Amino acid sequence: MITAFVFDAYGTLYDVQSVAELVERTFPGHGDYITQLWRLKQLEYSWLRSLGGDYADFWTVTRESLSYTLGTLGITPDESLFAEIAGAYNALRPYPDAESCLAGLTGFRRAIFSNGSPEMLSAMVGNSSLAPHLEAVISVDAKQVYKPDPRSYRMVEEALGVRPSEVLFVSSNGFDVCGAKRAGFKVARIERVSNASLAHELASSATIGPKIFYKAQRLQPETYGEVADYTVSALGQLPDLIRSISHAP
Amino acid sequence: MITAFVFDAYGTLYDVQSVAELVERTFPGHGDYITQLWRLKQLEYSWLRSLGGDYADFWTVTRESLSYTLGTLGITPDESLFAEIAGAYNALRPYPDAESCLAGLTGFRRAIFSNGSPEMLSAMVGNSSLAPHLEAVISVDAKQVYKPDPRSYRMVEEALGVRPSEVLFVSSNGFDVCGAKRAGFKVARIERVSNASLAHELASSATIGPKIFYKAQRLQPETYGEVADYTVSALGQLPDLIRSISHAP
């Protein structure tokens, strides 16, 4: 029986695309390109550092990936501008239905489990409307391994004192879906872009720019691992989903 | 003293872009998109499987990433067509200067160290002009971990019986440069796209399509780890490089 909802943060409860406004204002014409490449390299660096046995926290990874991204354009901003842009990751906007989703799950335990460093998560969650609905914000940092390392997911059991089979883990990130399934959780995937709409967008676009390419690279179900138990197109559907699961014969 | 040259295969001696012709012929208008996304997901899946403790060989990873890529377009080819396209990775073309580079390094031990499965490497190298110049083709497969896992690089010492400090490791892949440096090798980076030319291309392109985006995502020096000892713009410069190193005071 599901007793706890555990949410991924970046891209699931909080919209990583919300850095684009500041980035575009700062580097006109490059906002979309920088936003997509930054996020891709941020994830990549978390994986590569973990694989290399060379963990550094997500704030380091976020700045290193920003530095790489700006570097491709030959841009090296001064320290204070760099800090301002990097800081956008600590002020991501929740998805519009994130708060009502959490409110609709009252009665269940609700927590975040994220790659973010404790300081990043504290800034982002603490300053958002989601904080009152969350019992715990769990960071991989205490174990110094990033998702989808199996050791990371065990922190959820340890922090909440629940068995994996009691957890409905929620993520829009394919690698996180695979990792959470392997860890024994039930998993709900948030399908922000359906396969049909992506295929249509790819077929009908004269050129495939950074944002479509990002969607293609990141937002389809991964084919190397396990698949989600449930797929919904938005967070707002989770309260209905859990009711239908609970009432299933 | 350098006694051995050890080369990465995919993207370093062999051009991963050489699958584009077959892919474009098979899926007109999508050749470039598929080529870039396929390679990006292929690397990603090697890392994610390694991180997840869920190794499968590079042939599996190559097919899974192709399946993901075609899936974004809503394409599910029949088995024989799928096999034909996947097989393109076993017939990659060497870079034009790869053979003369290897020939120019006669007197040094020369080997490949690659993520490729033994069967893939045997097909690709065996069918190319590079085979006679190589003493060994070492695959990560025996250890079931992908680069940049530090355990993988130790296979070079074990296979060739050399100390890391005697090895000049050659790669165009940034993560491989970082991993090889951490393993104690001297490292030469092949800079296929300079920062200045990439920045110029990004600034002067009306839209940033998949190929430019691929270059931006993969072909600049990574900023999360160590840097190469030497950077050259092409394989053909390695014989001169080693002469200049050997004669340095």
Side-chain angles (χ1 to χ4, degrees), chain B residues 9-28:
Chain B
Y10 300 104
T12 299
L13 289 178
Y14 293 87
D15 186 358
V16 293
Q17 298 290 326
S18 59
V19 305
E21 278 167 42
L22 172 66
V23 172
E24 175 65 26
R25 214 161 49 235
T26 313
F27 305 109

Side-chain angles (χ1 to χ4, degrees), chain A residues 33 41 44-45 49-51 53-54 64 68 71-72 150 182 195 199 202 208 216-218 220 222-224, chain B residues 33 41 44-45 49-51 53-54 64 68 71-72 150 182 195 199 202 208 216-218 220 222-224:
Chain A
Y33 166 77
K41 296 300 286 193
E44 192 181 308
Y45 283 5
R49 279 189 165 279
S50 254
L51 256 184
D54 190 23
E64 286 171 344
Y68 178 97
T72 62
R182 263 178 83 81
N195 185 253
L202 286 166
I208 295 170
Q217 200 170 334
R218 291 263 51 86
Q220 293 295 287
E222 304 299 353
T223 56
Y224 76 90
Chain B
Y33 166 78
K41 296 299 287 192
E44 186 181 312
Y45 283 6
R49 277 188 166 279
S50 255
L51 256 186
D54 190 24
E64 286 172 343
Y68 178 99
T72 63
R182 262 180 84 80
N195 185 254
L202 286 167
I208 295 170
Q217 194 171 340
R218 291 263 53 85
Q220 294 295 287
E222 304 299 354
T223 56
Y224 75 91

Side-chain angles (χ1 to χ4, degrees), chain A residues 9-223:
Chain A
Y10 300 104
T12 299
L13 288 179
Y14 294 86
D15 186 357
V16 294
Q17 298 290 327
S18 59
V19 305
E21 279 166 42
L22 172 67
V23 173
E24 175 64 26
R25 214 161 49 234
T26 313
F27 305 109
H30 299 303
D32 183 40
Y33 166 77
I34 292 171
T35 299
Q36 312 313 327
L37 186 57
W38 184 10
R39 172 62 175 160
L40 290 166
K41 296 300 286 193
Q42 182 193 46
L43 284 171
E44 192 181 308
Y45 283 5
S46 73
W47 301 329
L48 289 170
R49 279 189 165 279
S50 254
L51 256 184
D54 190 23
Y55 179 87
D57 77 11
F58 207 60
W59 182 232
T60 301
V61 162
T62 297
R63 285 176 296 139
E64 286 171 344
S65 51
L66 176 59
S67 173
Y68 178 97
T69 300
L70 296 177
T72 62
L73 293 160
I75 297 173
T76 45
D78 66 41
E79 228 173 274
S80 77
L81 182 58
F82 186 85
E84 187 192 343
I85 304 164
Y89 252 90
N90 299 333
L92 298 179
R93 270 197 306 270
Y95 281 96
D97 54 351
E99 189 182 353
S100 62
C101 163
L102 290 174
L105 296 171
T106 304
F108 292 95
R109 302 183 66 181
R110 290 154 295 169
I112 280 175
F113 175 57
S114 169
N115 275 341
S117 71
E119 296 75 14
M120 291 178 79
L121 292 169
S122 167
M124 180 172 76
V125 179
N127 291 329
S128 79
S129 57
L130 307 190
H133 301 284
L134 294 162
E135 166 188 354
V137 178
I138 309 161
S139 163
V140 299
D141 192 62
K143 286 226 177 148
Q144 313 248 311
V145 287
Y146 285 110
K147 300 192 263 183
D149 187 308
R151 289 169 293 176
S152 70
Y153 294 96
R154 281 190 220 121
M155 298 181 72
V156 170
E157 307 166 51
E158 291 161 13
L160 300 181
V162 291
R163 288 190 305 273
S165 61
E166 296 175 75
V167 171
L168 189 59
F169 190 88
V170 181
S171 185
S172 71
N173 288 299
F175 70 91
D176 200 18
V177 166
C178 295
K181 272 301 291 177
R182 263 178 83 81
F185 300 132
K186 295 282 179 200
V187 178
R189 174 176 168 256
I190 309 295
E191 179 183 63
R192 289 252 154 66
V193 180
S194 74
N195 185 253
S197 79
L198 177 64
H200 176 76
E201 194 175 357
L202 286 166
S204 61
S205 303
T207 50
I208 295 170
K211 194 162 189 172
I212 315 179
F213 200 70
Y214 174 88
K215 287 185 203 172
Q217 200 170 334
R218 291 263 51 86
L219 298 184
Q220 293 295 287
E222 304 299 353
T223 56

